[in-house]
Amino acid sequence: MNRHRGMIVAALAFMAMPMLYAVLTFAARPVSEQPWLEPPLANTTCVLPRERMRYDHMRYLKSLRDQVMREGRREQVTGEHAQGIGSCKGCHAHRELFCDRCHERSSVRLDCFGCHAY
Amino acid sequence: MHRRRFLKASAVLSAGAAGAYALPLLTSFKSSAETTRAPSTKLRWGMVIDLTRCPDNCTACVDACKKENNVNTSGDKLRDIHRIRKVTLESTLSAAPARKSVPLLCNHCDNPPCAVACPIKATTKREDGIVIVDPHRCMGCRYCMIACPYNARHFNFRENPEQPNPAYPKRQHGVAESCNLCAHLLDQGKRPACVDACANVNAQALTVGDLNDPNSEISTLIRNHPVKRLREDLGTEPKVFYIGL
Amino acid sequence: MGASEPSAEATRNRERIAPDRALLDRVLASGGEDLRKCMQCATCSAVCELADGRQPSPRKEMLWAQWGLSNRLMADPDLWLCHQCNDCTSRCPRGARPGDVMAALRRECVIHYATPRAFGRWANRPASLVWMALVAALLMATGAGLWQAFGLAAAELSHTGQRIVFPFWIRLPHGLLSAGFALLLVFDVTVLARGARRFWRILNAAGHKPPTPQPVPSLRAAFRRILWHDDFGRCTQTHARRTHHLLVIYGMLALWLTSLWSVTARWNPLLDGLVYPLGFWNPWKLMANLAGIAVTVGIALMLAERWKRPETAGATTYSDVALLGSILSIALTGFATELLHFLRMEPLRYAGYFVHLVAVVVLLWMLPYSKLAHIVYRTLALIYAERTGRGRQ
C-alpha cells in the first residue's frame, strides 16, 4: 500500500513539472533573442550561404527580379528555382514559421505575398 | 610658385573626384535609351493575328490569358482589366464583311508611348522587344494609360481576390498592367497562353515568333500575306501584325 | 379476524412488487447466466471487503436481480461501491458468479441513467463501435472539407504572429477541431450531469440513512479513496488490478492535461515565444509520451488478466472489450502519429492524425454510455457512502 501511495505521489508530482517548466521559462525568457525559425528540409542547400542570405536576401531578390523581368535572363532561376520567391517554399515550407518570424520581430513589413503566392 | 602648383594639383584632383563621382551617374542613364532603340540583331518578338482564322464568337485567348495571368474580371466595364480583348469592328467598306471580331492587345511598339510617358521607368521595352511593366516600381500615376493610343493599358482599381495560377504573381491595388506577351513563358521557351489556347481550339489565328529570324513562322507569314498594323500613322511601330484587317 | 385484516404496522411496511422481466433477461444475457444458482448463503457478502456489514452485498443484489426489482437496484449505492475484485465469485459455493452479475447490473444502471436511453442500449451492442467510428470519420472529413471550401482554414492560417501556427491547419483545421471537441465535451458533461443528478436524488430518496450535515469531510474522504485507490487494495484475488487501474487513470489524466494545454495554446500567455510542434525533450511531450506508455501498459495488462485468468477477472463482455479497445487504440494511434510526425512522412502523418482523432471522438461519444461513466456514478456512491457512514464495517 505504501509503495502504491509513493508511486501515485511521484506520478502527480511528475505531472506538475511541465506546468512548472512553462511558468519558469516564461519568467526567464530573454527579451531579445532570435526567434525560432522552422528549419529547412534536410539534405538541401540554399542558393546562397546562410549569413549572406540573411543580410542580402532583399538585394538578391531584387537583382533576380531585374534579371528575369527586365532582361529576360533566366539562367539563375532554372529548375526548382523557376518560381522566383515561390521557389523558397521547396525548403521553407511555411512563411509564417520562417519569414514572418524575423520580420514581425523587427517590424519590417513584408510586401511580397500580396502578389506572390507562397 | 608653390601656390600655383597647389592650385593646379587641386584642380586636377577635384576634376578627377568629380569624374569618379559622376561616372555611376552617367552609366545609369543607359536605361532611358532602352525605351526607343533600333532593333538589335538578337531576338525580337512579334505577333501575327490572322483574322481569317479567328472565329467571331470564340474567346479562347481571352479566357486563357485570364487564367494564366490571374486576371479577375467582375463585369465592371469601367474597372475590369483585359490584357487581351476581342472587339467588334464595323466596316464601312461594302466589299469587306460588315462586322469582324478582332483580338486587341498590347502591340509592343518599337516606339512605345507608354514607356516614354512613364516618369519612373516602371514600363520599359526589353531588349527582345517586349514592353513590360514592373509592378514593384509602378506608382500608379497612369500616365502610360493616357499615352497608349490602343487603350491596351489597364489599371488595378482594387485588390485581386484570387490567384488561380500560383506560378504567376497577381497585382496589388494601384499598379498599371498590360499584356507582356507572357514573357515569363516565352523566356522559358513556351508559348504565350493566348497562342496556346488558340492552337488548342484549332483556330491557330495567333502566332508569336522572332521577327529578326527570316526563317521563323511569323516572318514567313508577314512575307506571304498582306499585313496591316493598327494606327500605323502614329509612328509607334507596333509589332502586332493583322492579316485580313 | 386475525389473519384476514393486516395490522397498521404491516400495511406501512408493505410495497407492491413490480418485477422488471426485461432487466432480468438482460442481466442473464450479459454475464449473469448463472444468476439463478444463487441460494442466498451470503458467503459472497461475508468475503466482500468493501460491502457494508449491515446490508449484505452482493447477496441482496443477487436476490433483487432474480426478482428484477430495478427500482431498488438503480437506487443501490453498494452496486457502485463494488470494485469488481471478484473475491465473491471465487468463493461462491454454487458458482453463481455474483461479481459478473454486479458488472451486468452496473451496465444496466449506466444505461438506465443515460439520455437518450435507446442510444445507450445501442452503444453497448456489438459492432456499434465500428459504426460510431465510421460516422465520426465521415463527419470530420465533411467538416474539414466544408471548412476549406468556405475558406475558413485559409483564414486561420493567415493569422500569423509570433506565437503559433499549426501546419496541419490546412487539412485538419484547428478551429473546426476545437469546436467539434468542445461540442462533444458539452454533450458528455450534459448527459453525465443529468444522470448524476437523477442518481444522487434517487440515492438520497431511497433513504438508507439521513446524510450528515457536513458535506465537505465526505467529499474529501471520497476524493482520498479515489486518489490512493485504497478500495482496490482491499481485494485479495486480484490485487494486480490496482496497479493496472492506477496506470491507466493517471496516464489518461496526464494525457488529458496535455491535450488541454495544446488546445488552449493559442490563447495561452505563457506560450509567448514557444513554438509548436513540441520537440521531443519538451516536458509536455515527455510527460505525454510516458503517460501514453503507462496507458498502453495498463490496458495491455488488463487485457492479459482477462485472457489468462478469466476465473478471477470475471466474464468479458462486449462493453468491456469496447472500452479497453477504444482507449488502447487512442494510445497506439497516438504513438503511430507521433512516429510519422518525427519521420516527416508528409501525407501519411495527417492520415495517422485523422485516425487518432476518430478514435478520440469515438471514446468521447460513447463515454456517458460505457463503463467509463463509472467516474461519475462510483464517485457519487463513494461520497454518499462517506456521508452515511456506509461500508466501514
Side-chain angles (χ1 to χ4, degrees), chain B residues 49-66 77 81-89 99-106 150-151 154 194 198 201 203 205-206 242:
Chain B
I49 300 182
D50 191 345
L51 290 174
T52 59
R53 286 182 168 189
C54 174
D56 278 354
N57 50 1
C58 175
T59 54
C61 50
V62 178
D63 298 329
C65 175
K66 271 206 244 176
K77 282 208 169 116
I81 293 171
H82 308 275
R83 288 192 172 198
I84 182 170
R85 63 196 197 280
K86 289 202 81 181
V87 163
T88 313
L89 297 181
R99 279 194 190 82
K100 186 77 194 140
S101 176
V102 176
L104 292 184
L105 64 160
C106 167
Y150 304 103
N151 254 353
H154 302 272
C194 49
C198 195
V201 297
L206 302 176
Y242 289 87

Side-chain angles (χ1 to χ4, degrees), chain C residues 272-293:
Chain C
D272 179 45
L274 276 183
V275 154
Y276 277 85
L278 297 173
F280 186 75
W281 297 111
N282 187 291
W284 290 99
K285 196 85 162 184
L286 276 177
M287 177 174 87
N289 277 328
L290 287 170
I293 293 175

Side-chain angles (χ1 to χ4, degrees), chain A residues 65-66 68-74 82-83 111 114-117, chain B residues 121 124 126 132 134 136-137 163 166-167 169-170 172 184 187-188:
Chain A
R65 173 199 80 196
D66 287 339
V68 169
M69 206 180 59
R70 285 182 183 257
E71 300 171 37
R73 295 192 289 132
R74 294 187 91 101
Q83 272 201 47
D111 216 6
C115 298
H116 289 272
Chain B
K121 297 292 164 283
T124 52
R126 298 197 327 183
I132 193 165
D134 184 354
H136 305 90
R137 209 195 263 193
Q163 189 167 7
K170 60 181 164 115
Q172 276 186 332
H184 57 285
D187 289 341
Q188 291 176 56

Side-chain angles (χ1 to χ4, degrees), chain C residues 130-381:
Chain C
V130 179
W131 284 110
M132 281 198 272
L134 286 173
V135 171
L138 197 69
L139 280 175
M140 267 216 293
T142 318
L146 284 174
W147 214 258
Q148 284 197 48
F150 286 106
L152 293 165
E156 261 190 284
L157 203 59
S158 65
H159 165 86
T160 61
Q162 264 301 50
R163 292 173 31 167
I164 297 110
V165 166
F166 299 84
F168 68 80
W169 273 355
I170 278 295
R171 287 180 177 81
L172 292 170
H174 200 245
L176 173 73
L177 294 180
S178 299
F181 281 102
L183 224 71
L184 263 178
L185 283 175
V186 166
F187 162 76
D188 279 344
V189 168
T190 312
V191 175
L192 284 173
R194 289 183 71 170
R197 217 158 48 126
R198 278 173 62 199
F199 184 53
W200 184 251
R201 261 198 253 130
I202 288 180
L203 268 185
N204 285 302
H208 298 271
K209 193 176 159 178
T212 54
Q214 288 170 318
V216 176
S218 60
L219 277 172
R220 238 191 281 147
F223 175 69
R224 262 199 286 264
R225 272 168 86 169
I226 297 172
L227 186 69
W228 303 128
H229 273 34
D230 287 336
D231 291 341
F232 275 96
R234 285 160 72 180
C235 296
T236 57
Q237 288 293 320
T238 51
H239 25 252
R241 289 175 72 244
R242 188 180 188 198
T243 315
H244 305 164
H245 200 251
L246 280 171
L247 279 173
V248 174
I249 71 161
Y250 283 112
M252 283 176 78
L253 180 66
L255 288 171
W256 173 246
L257 286 175
T258 315
S259 299
L260 215 61
W261 183 256
S262 13
V263 165
T264 55
R266 193 178 188 171
W267 305 280
N268 190 342
L270 288 174
L271 276 176
D272 179 45
L274 276 183
V275 154
Y276 277 85
L278 297 173
F280 186 75
W281 297 111
N282 187 291
W284 290 99
K285 196 85 162 184
L286 276 177
M287 177 174 87
N289 277 328
L290 287 170
I293 293 175
V295 168
T296 313
V297 167
I299 299 276
L301 287 173
M302 284 183 191
L303 284 167
E305 273 289 317
R306 283 183 178 273
W307 185 316
K308 286 215 288 247
R309 279 183 284 276
E311 63 280 356
T312 48
T316 302
T317 60
Y318 171 74
S319 40
D320 302 316
V321 175
L323 182 63
L324 291 172
S326 179
I327 301 177
L328 188 65
S329 67
I330 293 179
L332 292 179
T333 53
F335 278 121
T337 311
E338 186 182 357
L339 190 69
L340 290 173
H341 278 331
F342 278 122
L343 292 178
R344 294 266 195 275
M345 298 186 70
E346 261 306 308
L348 206 61
R349 73 195 232 193
Y350 298 114
Y353 188 49
F354 183 78
V355 174
H356 178 65
L357 287 175
V358 167
V360 176
V361 166
V362 166
L363 182 70
L364 286 178
W365 193 357
M366 77 168 191
L367 198 158
Y369 312 103
S370 69
K371 274 178 79 174
L372 247 189
H374 75 273
I375 51 180
V376 161
Y377 297 113
R378 184 163 283 144
T379 310
L380 285 175

Side-chain angles (χ1 to χ4, degrees), chain A residues 1 3-5 7-9 11-12 14-15 18-19 21-23 26 29 35-36 94 96-97 100-101 104-105, chain C residues 157 160-163 165 167 227-228 230 242-243 246 250 253-254 257 261 269-270 272 275 282-284 287 290:
Chain A
M1 181 118 119
R3 184 191 63 185
H4 276 105
R5 285 202 183 206
M7 288 201 299
I8 295 171
V9 169
L12 287 171
F14 186 70
M15 274 188 242
M19 199 63 211
Y21 169 83
V23 170
F26 179 73
R29 73 200 184 285
W36 181 88
H94 306 103
E96 298 89 351
L97 299 174
D100 289 356
R101 296 270 153 149
E104 296 238 357
R105 189 65 81 113
Chain C
L157 203 59
T160 61
Q162 264 301 50
R163 292 173 31 167
V165 166
L227 186 69
W228 303 128
D230 287 336
R242 188 180 188 198
T243 315
L246 280 171
Y250 283 112
L253 180 66
L257 286 175
W261 183 256
L270 288 174
D272 179 45
V275 154
N282 187 291
W284 290 99
M287 177 174 87
L290 287 170

Side-chain angles (χ1 to χ4, degrees), chain B residues 30 59 87 92 104 106 109 148 174 222 232:
Chain B
K30 181 176 73 120
T59 54
V87 163
T92 50
L104 292 184
C106 167
C109 313
C148 178
I222 293 172
E232 288 166 335

Side-chain angles (χ1 to χ4, degrees), chain B residues 144-160:
Chain B
C144 57
M145 291 168 68
I146 304 170
C148 178
Y150 304 103
N151 254 353
R153 312 239 349 151
H154 302 272
F155 186 70
N156 281 280
F157 285 99
R158 51 172 165 249
E159 284 289 343
N160 283 308

